[in-house]
Amino acid sequence: MKEQYDVIIIGGGPAGLNAAMILGRSRRKVLLFDSGKPRNRWATSMNGFLSSDGVNPRDFIKKGREELVKYGVQIIDRAVKTATYSKGQYVVDDEDKNVYHSRKMLLATGLRDALPEVEGIEELYGKSVHHCPYCDGWENRDKAIAVYGKDRSGIGQALAMKNWSDDVTLYTDGTQKLNNKDMELLNLNGVKVCTEAIVRLEGDDGMLQRIVLQSGESKQQGALFFSGETSQQSDIGRQLGCEFTGKGVIKTRRLQQANIPGLYVAGDAARDMQLVIVAAAEGAKAGVAINMELQQEDRVKP
């Protein structure tokens, strides 16, 4: 006979783990899938999370998983390949072709960042190249900060980085789309601009030291921030027929509900406020909402 779960959670990051804790504490039968590829797996510290500021993300996940043991949450370290919904039932196939069934589902699969196509960036990513100033701006305060953004895409982040350093340079990597108003705004706010093409980033032990330009000139820089494109880490949302925003995240209502009955989405996959603490909070909120929905369905009515 098929094994029936109350909830299947896809994604073992902060959102998925916190939802699993709430649901486990509510005595629900929970199955959590973790592919082991969190968005921040290159980072050495997780910041801006009260009581866990500066903790290594891997240690944070490890502790979270250990805390779920006493609540009977089952964790499977595999990716989910397919998921379908029909008449109040979710059916999930993992990468080993095992099949699982549940009444509700939570997607906490996160996003994937597209790194700028610049030589040397991969060795520096997560240590001195970042995408989130709220996560890593403090650690790079008062450094010579580079902001990468082709055409006009880096203007907003370059201006924002002035919050953390007076020495900010916007690199457009060979593109010339900044207009006179853009240049006036950047100049008035003390942001330097370099439109020359970048050849490579150079550093030592993961720490950026210089940006080499096409002319052969090198610019001394201590960190680089970029605001690139993101995409869903998993296509399960599309398989199920979720509605998406223009920014590529899944549309959710107030309590993290998607447009499919019994489907909830939490974390970066569903929101533009992409912080670990926000993802964890959304997971908790979704966990409560799922449990309340199950309570309503199971309640004997006169």
Side-chain angles (χ1 to χ4, degrees):
M1 294 181 64
K2 68 181 182 182
E3 189 168 11
Q4 176 80 8
Y5 292 90
D6 291 318
V7 188
I8 287 178
I9 298 173
I10 306 178
L17 291 174
N18 223 23
M21 175 173 283
I22 295 294
L23 289 161
R25 288 177 58 83
S26 300
R27 308 190 74 178
R28 295 300 178 182
K29 188 174 182 180
V30 181
L31 173 61
L32 183 147
F33 285 93
D34 186 358
S35 67
K37 296 179 180 179
R39 183 182 184 185
N40 64 353
R41 60 188 178 274
W42 290 277
T44 57
S45 64
M46 184 192 74
N47 304 304
F49 197 120
L50 191 64
S51 80
S52 294
D53 191 52
V55 169
N56 186 295
R58 286 165 289 282
D59 294 338
F60 179 82
I61 296 298
K62 181 175 181 290
K63 182 180 180 182
R65 289 171 62 127
E66 291 170 349
E67 290 176 347
L68 294 181
V69 172
K70 61 180 175 286
Y71 302 120
V73 173
Q74 183 179 348
I75 299 177
I76 296 178
D77 291 311
R78 288 195 291 271
V80 169
K81 288 299 183 183
T82 64
T84 58
Y85 170 78
S86 178
K87 298 179 181 179
Q89 283 286 306
Y90 285 92
V91 180
V92 164
D93 293 78
D94 69 17
E95 59 189 351
D96 288 346
K97 300 182 179 179
N98 300 304
V99 181
Y100 308 86
H101 301 77
S102 69
R103 298 168 63 188
K104 308 294 177 186
M105 179 176 287
L106 171 67
L107 296 183
T109 45
L111 297 176
R112 179 187 300 112
D113 293 293
L115 287 177
E117 295 182 1
V118 178
E119 182 182 338
I121 197 169
E122 291 187 3
E123 293 84 354
L124 307 173
Y125 185 46
K127 294 183 179 179
S128 59
V129 172
H130 312 281
H131 66 271
C132 174
Y134 293 98
C135 303
D136 300 290
W138 170 264
E139 285 68 31
N140 293 284
R141 64 194 183 280
D142 297 328
K143 291 182 180 179
I145 294 178
V147 172
Y148 182 96
K150 287 191 172 185
D151 299 326
R152 304 180 67 245
S153 65
I155 295 172
Q157 190 164 40
L159 292 168
M161 292 312 303
K162 290 289 293 184
N163 202 150
W164 286 273
S165 176
D166 288 330
D167 188 352
V168 176
T169 304
L170 171 61
Y171 291 82
T172 65
D173 196 13
T175 59
Q176 308 279 343
K177 296 294 179 68
L178 298 177
N179 58 42
N180 291 335
K181 286 188 176 180
D182 296 333
M183 292 300 297
E184 182 181 16
L185 177 63
L186 292 164
N187 288 333
L188 285 172
N189 286 278
V191 175
K192 294 172 281 188
V193 175
C194 177
T195 59
E196 192 174 341
I198 296 174
V199 174
R200 63 183 175 274
L201 308 182
E202 293 182 347
D204 185 42
D205 196 27
M207 304 309 296
L208 176 66
Q209 293 176 333
R210 67 192 69 85
I211 295 177
V212 181
L213 303 173
Q214 195 170 53
S215 64
E217 181 185 1
S218 292
K219 298 275 191 179
Q220 300 299 308
Q221 301 285 175
L224 183 144
F225 285 78
F226 69 94
S227 181
E229 294 183 358
T230 59
S231 59
Q232 294 282 328
Q233 284 227 56
S234 169
D235 68 347
I236 298 299
R238 296 195 185 279
Q239 290 182 28
L240 292 169
C242 289
E243 295 177 353
F244 286 78
T245 71
K247 294 185 177 181
V249 296
I250 299 173
K251 288 184 179 180
T252 55
R253 298 196 293 277
R254 185 172 62 89
L255 296 177
Q256 308 303 132
Q257 306 100 319
N259 59 304
I260 313 298
L263 179 66
Y264 293 72
V265 189
D268 292 356
R271 282 287 186 272
D272 294 333
M273 184 64 72
Q274 296 165 5
L275 297 172
V276 173
I277 195 165
V278 174
E282 288 180 355
K285 185 165 64 171
V288 171
I290 291 169
N291 186 58
M292 291 175 65
E293 190 171 298
L294 289 166
Q295 287 175 340
Q296 289 290 335
E297 292 176 3
D298 293 340
R299 192 163 292 154
V300 178
K301 299 176 179 64

Coordinates of all heavy atoms in Angstrom, one line a residue, residues 38-114:
P38 N 21.8 24.3 -1.6 CA 21.2 25.6 -1.3 C 21.8 26.7 -2.1 O 23.0 26.7 -2.5 CB 21.5 25.7 0.2 CG 22.7 24.9 0.4 CD 22.6 23.7 -0.6
R39 N 21.1 27.8 -2.2 CA 21.6 29.0 -3.0 C 22.8 29.6 -2.4 O 23.7 30.0 -3.1 CB 20.5 30.0 -3.0 CG 20.8 31.3 -3.8 CD 19.7 32.3 -3.7 NE 19.9 33.5 -4.5 CZ 19.1 34.5 -4.5 NH1 18.1 34.6 -3.7 NH2 19.4 35.5 -5.3
N40 N 23.0 29.5 -1.0 CA 24.1 30.2 -0.4 C 25.2 29.2 -0.1 O 26.0 29.4 0.8 CB 23.7 30.9 0.9 CG 23.1 29.9 1.9 OD1 23.0 28.7 1.7 ND2 22.9 30.5 3.1
R41 N 25.3 28.1 -0.8 CA 26.3 27.0 -0.5 C 27.8 27.5 -0.7 O 28.7 26.9 -0.2 CB 26.1 25.7 -1.2 CG 26.1 25.9 -2.7 CD 25.6 24.5 -3.4 NE 25.6 24.5 -4.8 CZ 24.6 24.9 -5.5 NH1 23.5 25.4 -5.0 NH2 24.6 24.9 -6.9
W42 N 28.0 28.6 -1.4 CA 29.3 29.1 -1.6 C 29.7 30.1 -0.5 O 30.9 30.4 -0.3 CB 29.4 29.8 -2.9 CG 29.4 28.9 -4.1 CD1 30.4 28.2 -4.6 CD2 28.2 28.6 -4.9 NE1 30.0 27.4 -5.7 CE2 28.6 27.7 -5.9 CE3 26.9 29.0 -4.8 CZ2 27.7 27.1 -6.8 CZ3 26.0 28.5 -5.8 CH2 26.4 27.6 -6.7
A43 N 28.8 30.5 0.3 CA 29.0 31.5 1.3 C 29.7 30.9 2.5 O 29.5 29.7 2.9 CB 27.7 32.2 1.8
T44 N 30.6 31.6 3.2 CA 31.3 31.2 4.4 C 30.6 31.6 5.7 O 30.8 31.1 6.7 CB 32.7 31.7 4.4 OG1 32.7 33.1 4.4 CG2 33.5 31.2 3.2
S45 N 29.6 32.6 5.6 CA 28.9 33.0 6.8 C 27.5 33.4 6.4 O 27.3 33.9 5.2 CB 29.6 34.1 7.5 OG 29.7 35.3 6.7
M46 N 26.6 33.2 7.3 CA 25.2 33.6 7.1 C 24.9 34.8 8.0 O 25.0 34.6 9.3 CB 24.3 32.4 7.4 CG 22.8 32.6 7.2 SD 21.9 31.3 7.9 CE 22.0 31.7 9.7
N47 N 24.5 35.9 7.5 CA 24.5 37.1 8.3 C 23.0 37.7 8.4 O 22.2 37.4 7.5 CB 25.4 38.2 7.8 CG 26.9 37.6 7.7 OD1 27.4 37.2 8.7 ND2 27.5 37.7 6.5
G48 N 22.8 38.5 9.4 CA 21.5 39.2 9.5 C 20.4 38.3 10.1 O 19.2 38.7 10.0
F49 N 20.8 37.2 10.7 CA 19.8 36.3 11.3 C 20.1 36.4 12.8 O 21.1 35.9 13.3 CB 20.0 34.9 10.8 CG 18.9 34.0 11.1 CD1 18.2 33.4 10.0 CD2 18.4 33.7 12.3 CE1 17.1 32.5 10.2 CE2 17.4 32.8 12.6 CZ 16.7 32.2 11.5
L50 N 19.1 37.0 13.6 CA 19.3 37.1 15.0 C 19.6 35.8 15.7 O 18.9 34.8 15.5 CB 18.0 37.7 15.6 CG 18.1 38.2 17.0 CD1 19.0 39.4 17.1 CD2 16.7 38.7 17.5
S51 N 20.6 35.8 16.5 CA 21.1 34.7 17.3 C 22.0 33.7 16.5 O 22.6 32.8 17.0 CB 20.0 33.9 18.0 OG 19.4 33.0 17.1
S52 N 22.0 33.9 15.1 CA 22.8 33.0 14.3 C 23.7 33.9 13.3 O 24.2 33.4 12.3 CB 22.0 32.1 13.5 OG 21.3 31.1 14.3
D53 N 23.9 35.1 13.7 CA 24.7 36.0 12.8 C 26.1 35.5 12.7 O 26.8 35.3 13.7 CB 24.7 37.4 13.4 CG 25.2 38.5 12.5 OD1 24.8 38.5 11.3 OD2 26.1 39.2 12.9
G54 N 26.6 35.4 11.5 CA 27.9 34.9 11.2 C 28.1 33.4 11.2 O 29.3 33.0 11.0
V55 N 27.1 32.7 11.4 CA 27.2 31.2 11.4 C 27.4 30.7 10.0 O 26.9 31.2 9.0 CB 25.9 30.6 12.0 CG1 25.9 29.1 11.8 CG2 25.8 30.9 13.5
N56 N 28.2 29.6 9.9 CA 28.4 29.0 8.6 C 27.1 28.4 8.1 O 26.4 27.7 8.9 CB 29.5 27.9 8.7 CG 29.8 27.3 7.4 OD1 29.0 26.7 6.7 ND2 31.1 27.5 7.0
P57 N 26.6 28.7 6.9 CA 25.3 28.1 6.4 C 25.2 26.6 6.6 O 24.1 26.1 6.9 CB 25.3 28.6 5.0 CG 26.2 29.7 4.9 CD 27.3 29.5 5.9
R58 N 26.3 25.9 6.3 CA 26.2 24.4 6.4 C 26.0 24.0 7.9 O 25.3 23.0 8.1 CB 27.5 23.8 5.9 CG 27.6 23.9 4.3 CD 29.0 23.6 3.8 NE 29.9 24.7 4.1 CZ 29.9 25.9 3.4 NH1 29.1 26.1 2.4 NH2 30.8 26.8 3.7
D59 N 26.6 24.7 8.8 CA 26.4 24.4 10.3 C 25.0 24.7 10.7 O 24.4 24.0 11.5 CB 27.4 25.2 11.1 CG 28.8 24.7 10.9 OD1 29.1 23.6 10.5 OD2 29.7 25.6 11.2
F60 N 24.4 25.8 10.1 CA 23.0 26.2 10.4 C 22.1 25.1 9.9 O 21.2 24.7 10.7 CB 22.8 27.5 9.7 CG 21.4 28.0 9.9 CD1 21.0 28.7 11.0 CD2 20.4 27.8 8.9 CE1 19.7 29.2 11.2 CE2 19.1 28.3 9.1 CZ 18.8 29.0 10.2
I61 N 22.3 24.6 8.7 CA 21.4 23.5 8.2 C 21.6 22.3 9.0 O 20.6 21.6 9.3 CB 21.7 23.3 6.7 CG1 21.4 24.5 5.8 CG2 21.0 22.1 6.2 CD1 20.0 25.0 5.9
K62 N 22.8 21.9 9.3 CA 23.1 20.7 10.1 C 22.3 20.7 11.4 O 21.7 19.8 11.8 CB 24.6 20.5 10.3 CG 25.0 19.3 11.1 CD 26.5 19.2 11.1 CE 27.0 17.9 11.8 NZ 26.7 18.0 13.3
K63 N 22.4 21.9 12.1 CA 21.7 22.0 13.4 C 20.2 21.9 13.3 O 19.5 21.3 14.0 CB 22.1 23.3 14.1 CG 21.5 23.5 15.5 CD 22.0 24.8 16.1 CE 21.3 25.0 17.5 NZ 21.7 26.3 18.1
G64 N 19.7 22.6 12.2 CA 18.3 22.5 12.0 C 17.8 21.1 11.7 O 16.7 20.7 12.2
R65 N 18.5 20.4 10.9 CA 18.1 19.0 10.7 C 18.1 18.1 12.0 O 17.3 17.3 12.2 CB 19.0 18.4 9.6 CG 18.8 18.9 8.2 CD 19.8 18.5 7.2 NE 19.8 17.0 7.0 CZ 19.7 16.4 5.9 NH1 19.6 17.2 4.8 NH2 19.8 15.1 5.8
E66 N 19.2 18.4 12.8 CA 19.2 17.6 14.1 C 18.1 18.0 15.0 O 17.5 17.1 15.7 CB 20.6 18.0 14.8 CG 21.8 17.4 14.1 CD 23.1 18.0 14.6 OE1 23.0 18.9 15.5 OE2 24.2 17.5 14.3
E67 N 17.6 19.2 15.0 CA 16.5 19.6 15.8 C 15.2 19.0 15.4 O 14.2 18.9 16.1 CB 16.3 21.1 15.8 CG 17.5 21.8 16.6 CD 17.4 23.3 16.5 OE1 16.6 23.8 15.7 OE2 18.1 24.0 17.3
L68 N 15.1 18.5 14.1 CA 13.8 17.9 13.6 C 13.7 16.4 14.0 O 12.6 15.9 13.9 CB 13.8 18.0 12.1 CG 13.7 19.4 11.5 CD1 13.6 19.3 10.0 CD2 12.5 20.2 12.0
V69 N 14.8 15.8 14.5 CA 14.7 14.4 14.8 C 13.6 14.0 15.8 O 12.9 13.1 15.6 CB 16.1 13.9 15.3 CG1 16.0 12.4 15.7 CG2 17.1 14.0 14.1
K70 N 13.6 14.8 16.9 CA 12.6 14.5 17.9 C 11.1 14.6 17.5 O 10.2 14.1 18.2 CB 12.9 15.3 19.2 CG 12.8 16.8 19.0 CD 13.1 17.5 20.4 CE 13.1 19.0 20.3 NZ 14.3 19.5 19.6
Y71 N 10.9 15.3 16.4 CA 9.6 15.5 15.9 C 9.2 14.5 14.8 O 8.1 14.6 14.3 CB 9.4 16.9 15.4 CG 9.7 18.0 16.4 CD1 10.7 18.9 16.2 CD2 9.0 18.1 17.6 CE1 11.0 19.9 17.1 CE2 9.3 19.0 18.5 CZ 10.3 19.9 18.3 OH 10.6 20.9 19.2
G72 N 10.1 13.6 14.5 CA 9.7 12.5 13.6 C 9.7 12.9 12.2 O 9.1 12.1 11.3
V73 N 10.3 14.0 11.8 CA 10.3 14.5 10.4 C 11.2 13.6 9.6 O 12.4 13.4 10.0 CB 10.7 15.9 10.3 CG1 10.9 16.3 8.8 CG2 9.7 16.8 11.0
Q74 N 10.8 13.0 8.5 CA 11.6 12.2 7.7 C 12.3 13.0 6.6 O 11.6 13.8 5.9 CB 10.8 11.1 7.0 CG 11.6 10.1 6.2 CD 10.7 9.0 5.5 OE1 9.5 8.9 5.9 NE2 11.2 8.3 4.6
I75 N 13.6 12.8 6.5 CA 14.4 13.6 5.5 C 15.0 12.7 4.5 O 15.6 11.7 4.9 CB 15.5 14.4 6.2 CG1 14.8 15.5 7.2 CG2 16.3 15.2 5.1 CD1 15.9 16.3 7.9
I76 N 14.8 13.0 3.2 CA 15.4 12.2 2.2 C 16.4 13.1 1.4 O 16.0 14.1 0.9 CB 14.4 11.6 1.2 CG1 13.5 10.6 2.0 CG2 15.0 10.9 0.0 CD1 12.4 10.0 1.2
D77 N 17.6 12.7 1.3 CA 18.6 13.5 0.6 C 18.7 13.2 -0.9 O 19.7 12.7 -1.4 CB 20.0 13.3 1.3 CG 20.1 13.9 2.6 OD1 19.7 15.1 2.8 OD2 20.5 13.2 3.6
R78 N 17.6 13.5 -1.5 CA 17.5 13.3 -3.0 C 16.7 14.5 -3.6 O 15.9 15.1 -2.9 CB 16.8 12.0 -3.3 CG 17.7 10.8 -3.0 CD 17.2 9.5 -3.7 NE 15.9 9.1 -3.1 CZ 15.9 8.2 -2.1 NH1 17.0 7.7 -1.6 NH2 14.7 7.8 -1.6
A79 N 16.8 14.7 -4.8 CA 16.1 15.7 -5.6 C 14.7 15.1 -6.0 O 14.6 13.9 -6.3 CB 16.8 16.2 -6.8
V80 N 13.7 15.9 -6.1 CA 12.4 15.5 -6.7 C 12.4 15.8 -8.2 O 12.8 16.9 -8.6 CB 11.3 16.2 -6.0 CG1 10.0 16.0 -6.7 CG2 11.2 15.8 -4.5
K81 N 12.0 14.8 -8.9 CA 12.0 15.0 -10.4 C 10.7 15.5 -10.9 O 10.6 16.3 -11.8 CB 12.4 13.7 -11.1 CG 13.9 13.4 -10.9 CD 14.8 14.5 -11.6 CE 16.3 14.1 -11.5 NZ 17.1 15.2 -12.0
T82 N 9.6 14.9 -10.4 CA 8.3 15.2 -10.9 C 7.3 15.3 -9.7 O 7.5 14.6 -8.7 CB 7.7 14.2 -11.9 OG1 7.6 13.0 -11.3 CG2 8.7 14.1 -13.1
A83 N 6.3 16.1 -9.9 CA 5.2 16.2 -8.9 C 3.9 16.5 -9.7 O 3.9 17.3 -10.6 CB 5.5 17.3 -7.9
T84 N 2.8 15.8 -9.3 CA 1.5 16.1 -9.9 C 0.5 16.2 -8.8 O 0.7 15.8 -7.6 CB 1.1 14.9 -10.8 OG1 1.1 13.7 -10.0 CG2 2.1 14.7 -11.9
Y85 N -0.6 16.9 -9.1 CA -1.7 17.1 -8.2 C -3.0 16.7 -8.9 O -3.3 17.0 -10.0 CB -1.8 18.5 -7.7 CG -3.1 18.8 -7.0 CD1 -3.2 18.5 -5.6 CD2 -4.2 19.4 -7.6 CE1 -4.4 18.7 -4.9 CE2 -5.4 19.7 -6.9 CZ -5.4 19.3 -5.5 OH -6.6 19.5 -4.8
S86 N -3.9 15.9 -8.1 CA -5.2 15.6 -8.6 C -6.1 15.2 -7.5 O -5.7 14.3 -6.6 CB -5.1 14.4 -9.6 OG -6.4 14.0 -10.1
K87 N -7.2 15.8 -7.4 CA -8.3 15.5 -6.4 C -7.8 15.4 -5.0 O -8.0 14.4 -4.3 CB -9.0 14.2 -6.9 CG -9.6 14.3 -8.2 CD -10.3 13.0 -8.6 CE -10.9 13.1 -10.0 NZ -11.6 11.8 -10.4
G88 N -7.1 16.4 -4.6 CA -6.6 16.5 -3.2 C -5.4 15.7 -2.9 O -5.0 15.5 -1.7
Q89 N -4.7 15.1 -3.9 CA -3.5 14.3 -3.6 C -2.3 14.8 -4.5 O -2.5 15.1 -5.7 CB -3.8 12.8 -4.0 CG -4.6 12.1 -3.0 CD -3.8 11.7 -1.8 OE1 -2.8 11.1 -1.9 NE2 -4.4 12.1 -0.6
Y90 N -1.2 14.8 -3.8 CA 0.1 15.1 -4.5 C 0.9 13.8 -4.6 O 0.9 13.0 -3.7 CB 0.9 16.1 -3.7 CG 0.4 17.5 -3.9 CD1 -0.6 18.0 -2.9 CD2 0.7 18.3 -4.9 CE1 -1.1 19.3 -3.1 CE2 0.2 19.6 -5.1 CZ -0.7 20.1 -4.2 OH -1.2 21.3 -4.3
V91 N 1.4 13.6 -5.8 CA 2.2 12.4 -6.1 C 3.6 12.9 -6.5 O 3.7 13.7 -7.5 CB 1.6 11.5 -7.2 CG1 2.5 10.3 -7.4 CG2 0.2 11.1 -6.8
V92 N 4.6 12.4 -5.8 CA 6.0 12.9 -6.1 C 6.9 11.7 -6.5 O 6.8 10.6 -5.9 CB 6.6 13.6 -4.8 CG1 8.1 13.7 -4.9 CG2 5.9 14.9 -4.6
D93 N 7.7 11.9 -7.5 CA 8.7 11.0 -7.9 C 10.1 11.6 -7.6 O 10.4 12.7 -8.1 CB 8.6 10.6 -9.4 CG 7.3 9.9 -9.7 OD1 6.3 10.5 -9.8 OD2 7.4 8.7 -9.9
D94 N 11.0 10.8 -6.9 CA 12.3 11.4 -6.7 C 13.3 10.9 -7.8 O 12.9 10.1 -8.7 CB 12.8 11.0 -5.3 CG 13.1 9.5 -5.1 OD1 13.2 8.8 -6.1 OD2 13.2 9.1 -3.9
E95 N 14.5 11.3 -7.7 CA 15.5 10.9 -8.7 C 15.8 9.5 -8.8 O 16.4 9.0 -9.8 CB 16.8 11.8 -8.6 CG 17.5 11.5 -7.2 CD 18.6 12.5 -7.0 OE1 18.9 13.3 -8.0 OE2 19.2 12.5 -5.9
D96 N 15.4 8.7 -7.8 CA 15.6 7.2 -7.8 C 14.3 6.5 -8.2 O 14.2 5.3 -8.1 CB 16.1 6.7 -6.5 CG 17.5 7.1 -6.2 OD1 18.2 7.5 -7.1 OD2 18.0 7.0 -5.0
K97 N 13.4 7.3 -8.7 CA 12.1 6.8 -9.2 C 11.2 6.2 -8.1 O 10.3 5.4 -8.4 CB 12.3 5.7 -10.3 CG 13.0 6.3 -11.5 CD 13.2 5.3 -12.6 CE 13.9 5.9 -13.8 NZ 14.1 4.9 -14.9
N98 N 11.4 6.6 -6.9 CA 10.5 6.2 -5.8 C 9.3 7.2 -5.8 O 9.5 8.4 -6.1 CB 11.2 6.3 -4.4 CG 12.4 5.4 -4.4 OD1 12.3 4.2 -4.6 ND2 13.6 5.9 -4.1
V99 N 8.2 6.7 -5.4 CA 6.9 7.4 -5.5 C 6.4 7.7 -4.1 O 6.4 6.8 -3.2 CB 5.9 6.7 -6.3 CG1 4.6 7.6 -6.4 CG2 6.4 6.4 -7.7
Y100 N 5.9 8.9 -3.8 CA 5.4 9.3 -2.5 C 4.1 10.1 -2.7 O 3.9 10.7 -3.7 CB 6.4 10.2 -1.7 CG 7.8 9.6 -1.7 CD1 8.7 9.7 -2.7 CD2 8.2 8.8 -0.6 CE1 10.0 9.2 -2.6 CE2 9.4 8.2 -0.5 CZ 10.3 8.4 -1.5 OH 11.6 7.8 -1.5
H101 N 3.2 10.0 -1.7 CA 1.9 10.7 -1.7 C 1.7 11.6 -0.5 O 2.1 11.2 0.6 CB 0.8 9.6 -1.8 CG 0.9 8.7 -3.0 ND1 1.8 7.6 -3.0 CD2 0.2 8.7 -4.2 CE1 1.6 7.0 -4.2 NE2 0.7 7.6 -4.9
S102 N 1.0 12.7 -0.7 CA 0.7 13.6 0.4 C -0.5 14.3 0.1 O -1.0 14.5 -1.0 CB 1.9 14.5 0.7 OG 2.0 15.5 -0.4
R103 N -1.1 14.9 1.2 CA -2.3 15.7 1.1 C -1.9 17.2 0.8 O -2.7 17.8 0.1 CB -3.1 15.7 2.4 CG -3.5 14.3 2.8 CD -4.0 14.2 4.2 NE -5.2 15.1 4.5 CZ -5.7 15.3 5.7 NH1 -5.1 14.8 6.8 NH2 -6.7 16.1 5.8
K104 N -0.8 17.6 1.3 CA -0.4 19.0 1.1 C 1.1 19.0 0.6 O 1.8 18.0 0.8 CB -0.5 19.8 2.3 CG -1.9 19.8 3.0 CD -3.0 20.4 2.1 CE -4.3 20.3 2.8 NZ -5.4 20.7 1.9
M105 N 1.5 20.1 0.0 CA 2.9 20.2 -0.4 C 3.4 21.7 -0.2 O 2.6 22.6 -0.3 CB 3.0 19.9 -1.9 CG 4.4 20.0 -2.4 SD 4.6 19.5 -4.2 CE 4.4 17.7 -4.0
L106 N 4.6 21.7 0.2 CA 5.3 23.0 0.4 C 6.5 23.0 -0.5 O 7.4 22.1 -0.4 CB 5.7 23.3 1.8 CG 6.6 24.5 2.0 CD1 5.9 25.8 1.8 CD2 7.2 24.5 3.5
L107 N 6.6 24.0 -1.4 CA 7.8 24.2 -2.2 C 8.7 25.2 -1.5 O 8.3 26.4 -1.2 CB 7.5 24.7 -3.6 CG 6.6 23.8 -4.5 CD1 6.4 24.4 -5.9 CD2 7.3 22.4 -4.6
A108 N 9.9 24.8 -1.2 CA 10.9 25.7 -0.6 C 12.2 25.5 -1.3 O 13.3 25.3 -0.7 CB 11.1 25.5 0.9
T109 N 12.2 25.5 -2.6 CA 13.3 25.1 -3.5 C 14.2 26.2 -3.8 O 15.3 26.0 -4.4 CB 12.7 24.5 -4.8 OG1 11.7 25.4 -5.3 CG2 12.1 23.1 -4.5
G110 N 13.9 27.5 -3.6 CA 14.9 28.6 -3.7 C 15.1 29.0 -5.2 O 14.5 28.5 -6.1
L111 N 16.1 29.8 -5.3 CA 16.5 30.4 -6.6 C 18.0 30.0 -6.9 O 18.7 29.6 -6.0 CB 16.3 31.9 -6.6 CG 14.9 32.4 -6.5 CD1 15.0 34.0 -6.4 CD2 14.0 32.0 -7.6
R112 N 18.3 30.2 -8.1 CA 19.7 30.0 -8.6 C 20.2 31.4 -9.2 O 19.5 32.0 -10.0 CB 19.8 28.9 -9.7 CG 21.1 28.7 -10.2 CD 21.1 27.7 -11.4 NE 20.5 26.4 -11.0 CZ 19.3 26.0 -11.5 NH1 18.5 26.7 -12.3 NH2 18.8 24.8 -11.1
D113 N 21.4 31.8 -8.8 CA 22.0 33.0 -9.3 C 22.8 32.8 -10.6 O 23.5 31.8 -10.6 CB 22.9 33.7 -8.2 CG 22.1 34.2 -7.0 OD1 21.3 35.1 -7.2 OD2 22.3 33.6 -5.9
A114 N 22.6 33.7 -11.5 CA 23.4 33.7 -12.7 C 24.6 34.6 -12.5 O 24.5 35.8 -12.4 CB 22.6 34.1 -13.9

